[in-house]
Amino acid sequence: MKRINTLIASILLSGSALSADIDNAPVYQPGSQYTAVLNHTNSEWRLLPSDGQDFAIQLDAGCHSATAIPAGLWLLTRDADGKPELLAPSQTVLPAGHSGHIPVVACSDEQNTGLALPASLIQWLGDNTGAIYVE
């Protein structure tokens, strides 16, 4: 019996040592947990519609965002006024003081207080996605 207990203890200890090396960062699956990807450094979007071919969009340099977006998963929702915004779920690591809310505005918006996108892309995202992965 003592030998079995020793064997079980060694298995449990080796398992805990292995689990300490595992990366605990969330793993997201394209197309199932998010349907759009934003490469924020070069303003490139990869759209992953569930009913068709994936495609990439390069935004015009004139349509730039005034807001840096932390990497991770973001949900496309609506604010209290019904305007689109990105909302960070609890798994998305945010810098200190970040609200976890980023307005989504049209490129033509003069205030440009959030993520600026062409109106047609805002419409497409609203119709086809609920989650966006920011690289």
Side-chain angles (χ1 to χ4, degrees):
M1 185 69 164
K2 184 176 180 182
R3 194 169 167 196
I4 292 174
N5 289 341
T6 304
L7 179 62
I8 291 172
S10 66
I11 290 171
L12 292 175
L13 288 175
S14 66
S16 65
L18 289 175
S19 66
D21 293 335
I22 296 173
D23 183 11
N24 289 325
V27 176
Y28 302 111
Q29 298 296 318
S32 63
Q33 291 160 320
Y34 60 89
T35 52
V37 179
L38 168 61
N39 183 323
H40 196 55
T41 57
N42 67 6
S43 298
E44 182 179 88
W45 284 83
R46 192 168 30 125
L47 306 178
L48 313 164
S50 61
D51 61 350
Q53 181 72 27
D54 299 354
F55 55 98
I57 297 173
Q58 179 69 50
L59 295 185
D60 186 295
C63 185
H64 68 282
S65 296
T67 304
I69 303 172
L73 191 68
W74 289 83
L75 304 177
L76 183 64
T77 63
R78 299 268 173 189
D79 66 12
D81 297 326
K83 296 177 183 172
E85 73 172 356
L86 295 181
L87 175 66
S90 60
Q91 306 94 323
T92 300
V93 178
L94 300 172
H98 196 289
S99 70
H101 296 265
I102 298 176
V104 177
V105 298
C107 296
S108 59
D109 187 336
E110 293 178 14
Q111 293 180 0
N112 192 358
T113 59
L115 174 61
L117 299 175
S120 59
L121 180 55
I122 294 172
Q123 181 68 42
W124 188 93
L125 291 171
D127 292 343
N128 295 284
T129 189
I132 296 167
Y133 186 75
V134 177
E135 297 180 320

